[in-house]
Amino acid sequence: MTGATERIGGATAGGAVRRGPRRSAGVFRASSTAAASAFLLPNVVLIVVFTLLPLVYALVISFQDLDSLGGTSWAGLGNYAKLVTDPVFWQSVWNTGVFTLFTVPVGMAIGLGIAVLLNGVLPGRAVFRTIIFLPLVVSGVATGVLGAWMFDQNNGFIDKFLATFGLPQVDWQSSGGWAMTAVILMTLWQRIGFDMLIYLAGLQGVDPAVQEAASTDGATGWQRFRLITFPLLGPSTFFLLVMNLIYSFQVFDTVWAMTRGGPGYGTTTVVSYAYRVAFDEHGPQLLGYGAAVGIVIYLVTLLITGLQWRFNAGRDQTD
C-alpha cells in the first residue's frame, strides 16, 4: 500500500512537474505574441491608412467622372474604355516599354560585369564599390535635376564636353528620342549600384571549391563564368529582373524632374501620364481618369509580383 501510494504520489508529482513547463511555455508564447503584435500594429496602421485606403478610394473614383472643379457623375467602365482609344496613353505605354528595354537588361548586364570585377582581388575595391553605389542614395528628384543640368542643350555639361572634341551639339530637350536617351542614361547611372550590390552578394555565395574544380579540369575563365557562376546567380538575376521591372513601370520622380514628360509626350511614362491627367493638365483635372490609369499600373505591378511568387515557389519545389 505504501509502495502504491509512493507510485501514485510520484506520478502525481511527476505529472505536476511535466505540466509546469507546459504552462510556462504557454505564457511565454502568449507574451511573445503580444509583443510581436505591439511591434506590428503601428506598421499595419500605416499600411492601412496610407496604402489600402488610398487604393480603395482610387478604385472607387476610377468609376466616376470626377474633376478638380467638383463635378462628379458615375461613369462605370467609361474611364477604362477611354484608355483603349487614348493615343497618348498608348504612347506612354510605348515609352515605358522602351525605358524598360534599355534600363533593365542593360543595367543588369553592367551591374554584373562590375560585380565580377569588384569581387576579385582589386586594389581599392571597397572605394570603387562605394563610388558606384553612392548614386543610389541620391533621391530620384535630385537625379532628375542633375540630369536636366547636365543634358541642357544650351549650357549643359554634356554638350560642352562634346564640343571639345568637335562634335555637334545634341537636342537633348527638344527631341523626344534624345530626351528619352538622357533619361535612360541618368537612370542607369543611378540604378547600376543596386544591381552591382545584389550580384556581389550572389557572387560571394558561390563556393570557390567549385571554381577550383572546374579550373583543374581545364575550364577557361569564360567557361567557368558561363557554365558555373552565372547559373548559380539565377536567384539574384530573377530578383533583380522583377524588382527592376516593377521600378520601370512605376518610375516618375526622375522623369518628371528632368523632362516633365516632354517634349510633348516624348518621355511620358504611364505614371507621369496619370499625374499629368489628374493634376497637371490645363483646365479641369480628370481625377477619375487619372485614377483609372493608376489602377492599371497597380494591376500590372500585381501581375509581375504574382509571377515572382509563382516562379519562386516552383523553383523551391524543384530544388
Side-chain angles (χ1 to χ4, degrees):
M1 188 67 178
T2 303
T5 304
E6 288 176 354
R7 286 195 298 273
I8 294 173
T12 303
V17 171
R18 288 192 297 271
R19 285 195 298 269
R22 290 187 188 135
R23 291 198 192 97
S24 300
V27 173
F28 176 75
R29 283 195 296 269
S31 60
S32 299
T33 302
S37 301
F39 280 108
L40 289 175
L41 182 60
N43 295 317
V44 172
V45 172
L46 291 175
I47 290 174
V48 170
V49 173
F50 293 104
T51 301
L52 295 183
L53 290 181
L55 178 62
V56 172
Y57 183 65
L59 179 63
V60 171
I61 66 175
S62 70
F63 295 105
Q64 301 175 359
D65 283 329
L66 177 64
D67 59 53
S68 60
L69 300 180
T72 305
S73 61
W74 183 255
L77 296 175
N79 288 323
Y80 295 95
K82 183 180 177 181
L83 285 176
V84 179
T85 58
D86 185 357
V88 180
F89 171 74
W90 289 110
Q91 182 179 355
S92 68
V93 172
W94 170 262
N95 292 338
T96 304
V98 171
F99 177 85
T100 302
L101 180 63
F102 285 97
T103 56
V104 175
V106 175
M108 291 174 60
I110 297 175
L112 175 59
I114 296 174
V116 171
L117 290 175
L118 297 183
N119 190 53
V121 179
L122 181 68
R125 60 180 179 176
V127 177
F128 287 113
R129 290 176 183 176
T130 304
I131 293 174
I132 296 171
F133 181 77
L134 192 60
L136 188 64
V137 183
V138 181
S139 69
V141 175
T143 301
V145 172
L146 178 62
W149 170 75
M150 291 179 60
F151 290 95
D152 188 281
Q153 64 188 43
N154 297 316
N155 299 307
F157 165 76
I158 300 298
D159 274 351
K160 290 183 178 179
F161 179 76
L162 293 176
T164 58
F165 294 95
L167 298 175
Q169 293 185 345
V170 179
D171 298 330
W172 298 108
Q173 295 170 316
S174 58
S175 171
W178 284 115
M180 178 60 75
T181 301
V183 171
I184 290 172
L185 290 175
M186 291 304 299
T187 302
L188 288 174
W189 173 77
Q190 184 186 34
R191 296 286 298 178
I192 281 175
F194 177 71
D195 298 329
M196 177 203 70
L197 183 68
I198 300 301
Y199 273 129
L200 269 176
L203 287 170
Q204 292 174 3
V206 176
D207 189 359
V210 179
Q211 298 278 5
E212 294 175 1
S215 179
T216 302
D217 291 339
T220 63
W222 170 245
Q223 289 175 332
R224 292 197 303 270
F225 174 80
R226 182 171 59 90
L227 300 176
I228 298 176
T229 304
F230 187 72
L232 291 176
L233 292 176
S236 300
T237 300
F238 188 78
F239 171 78
L240 284 173
L241 180 62
V242 173
M243 295 301 295
N244 287 329
L245 283 175
I246 293 176
Y247 170 81
S248 66
F249 275 92
Q250 295 181 343
V251 64
F252 170 75
D253 44 6
T254 302
V255 175
W256 192 256
M258 195 168 174
T259 64
R260 296 181 67 87
Y265 292 97
T267 58
T268 300
T269 60
V270 285
V271 176
S272 59
Y273 180 58
Y275 180 82
R276 292 182 72 165
V277 168
F279 302 107
D280 197 57
E281 295 289 355
H282 299 292
Q285 285 80 37
L286 306 177
L287 301 179
Y289 187 59
V293 177
I295 292 298
V296 171
I297 298 170
Y298 170 76
L299 293 177
V300 172
T301 306
L302 190 64
L303 176 63
I304 295 174
T305 306
L307 290 175
Q308 178 193 24
W309 287 346
R310 181 181 181 88
F311 283 116
N312 276 340
R315 189 180 66 247
D316 292 341
Q317 291 174 1
T318 302
D319 295 340

